[in-house]
Amino acid sequence: GLGVLPRPMAALGAYRCIECNGEATELYRDYQRGVLRISICKSCQKPVDKYIEYDPVIILINAVLCKAQAYRHILFNTKINIHGKLCIFCLLCEAYIRWLQLQDSSQNTDPDDLIRYAKEWDFYRMFGIASLEQTSFFIGIFITLWWMTPEMLKKKSDFILLLKALLLSTYGKLLLIPAVIWEHDYTPLCLAFIKVFVLISNSQAIRVTLNLNRILPWVAIFFGLILENGVVCLFQKMGWDV
């Protein structure tokens, strides 16, 4: 069924065709009495958004497969506002993994309250470091894209949309928790695969949001990683475990 549908009518450019990224004023037309007709894109002559008929689970699977159509549906044709909460939760997951690895490296089993409070502070420190690293990664991406394609980031709304897309595309970090719960000898390999998956998702989010080719998003991500690793090196020189 059509499930939860967006508003049927909107201003010009409020929606996007998931196939060609063309602008659309409506996703479907309601003819009353339960008769709905999906709008056809004037540019590519395909349905503007076929996903409005799909179950959310199918949409999620397509997003996991990094299909551009699924990303356009989520970013342009729905009203999802969980990017902030998702970002915090992903950072908590990453901080927990780092904190757990830090505890594994220290064999101190003293139950003293002072030790327990120190371990709790370590978790907050790991959360702060993860936040700074992700912020520097995003800053590197924004600077690179603004320098290479300034016409794509002219307005504040363009920056906000790209930030929202990047935050949503970090959902792969949620896989960090099950990777640790089902701990095996190949857990480090799993963590590396999760990192790669998140970077691929970031690349697809940038490509879909700014309608770029496949190369420019990876160039931006490369410079974002350079800035992020620079922050890591700074922390290491300060003597912090990251």
Side-chain angles (χ1 to χ4, degrees):
L2 291 178
V4 179
L5 293 167
R7 296 188 308 273
M9 295 294 294
L12 179 62
Y15 300 119
R16 298 283 184 89
C17 172
I18 64 171
E19 301 293 341
C20 68
N21 201 41
E23 296 181 347
T25 57
E26 60 182 3
L27 299 179
Y28 66 93
R29 182 159 295 181
D30 188 352
Y31 289 98
Q32 304 301 325
R33 298 182 180 179
V35 178
L36 300 173
R37 181 177 179 274
I38 296 179
S39 301
I40 301 299
C41 177
K42 296 180 180 179
S43 299
C44 65
Q45 301 303 313
K46 295 181 180 179
V48 172
D49 191 344
K50 62 183 180 181
Y51 285 114
I52 63 175
E53 290 188 299
Y54 286 26
D55 187 89
V57 175
I58 303 298
I59 299 173
L60 178 60
I61 292 174
N62 280 263
V64 170
L65 294 174
C66 291
K67 289 190 174 182
Q69 293 91 338
Y71 274 72
R72 290 192 184 104
H73 167 78
I74 294 171
L75 292 173
F76 298 122
N77 298 339
T78 61
K79 303 296 180 182
I80 295 180
N81 292 309
I82 62 170
H83 47 282
K85 295 178 181 178
L86 180 63
C87 173
I88 296 298
F89 193 69
C90 288
L91 288 173
L92 287 172
C93 292
E94 190 168 353
Y96 174 74
I97 299 302
R98 297 184 180 199
W99 176 80
L100 202 61
Q101 293 173 338
L102 187 64
Q103 302 311 308
D104 290 341
S105 63
S106 65
Q107 302 299 322
N108 194 334
T109 58
D110 192 339
D112 186 78
D113 284 348
L114 185 61
I115 299 298
R116 188 166 64 250
Y117 290 143
K119 290 183 177 180
E120 183 179 345
W121 163 248
D122 282 336
F123 175 77
Y124 296 136
R125 182 164 61 87
M126 290 298 140
F127 179 82
I129 291 174
S131 301
L132 287 174
E133 287 181 9
Q134 180 165 294
T135 300
S136 61
F137 175 63
F138 286 171
I139 289 175
I141 289 176
F142 276 105
I143 291 175
T144 305
L145 291 173
W146 182 78
W147 176 64
M148 298 181 69
T149 58
E151 69 280 359
M152 296 290 183
L153 296 170
K154 290 182 178 180
K155 299 180 291 185
K156 180 180 178 181
S157 59
D158 297 330
F159 283 93
I160 293 175
L161 180 60
L162 181 56
L163 178 61
K164 178 180 177 180
L166 286 171
L167 291 176
L168 288 174
S169 64
T170 59
Y171 68 91
K173 291 184 179 181
L174 299 177
L175 298 173
L176 291 170
I177 295 301
V180 172
I181 292 176
W182 298 319
E183 186 175 359
H184 295 284
D185 294 336
Y186 49 80
T187 295
L189 183 61
C190 291
L191 298 181
F193 275 123
I194 292 171
K195 177 69 173 179
V196 171
F197 174 73
V198 171
L199 292 179
I200 293 173
S201 299
N202 292 154
S203 171
Q204 191 70 307
I206 296 170
R207 177 173 169 246
V208 166
T209 304
L210 301 181
N211 198 27
L212 300 174
N213 58 37
R214 296 180 182 273
I215 297 177
L216 286 180
W218 281 110
V219 173
I221 287 174
F222 175 73
F223 283 102
L225 288 173
I226 290 177
L227 188 57
E228 179 183 351
N229 288 327
V231 172
V232 172
C233 291
L234 178 62
F235 287 140
Q236 289 175 340
K237 286 186 177 180
M238 294 171 60
W240 288 17
D241 293 321
V242 295

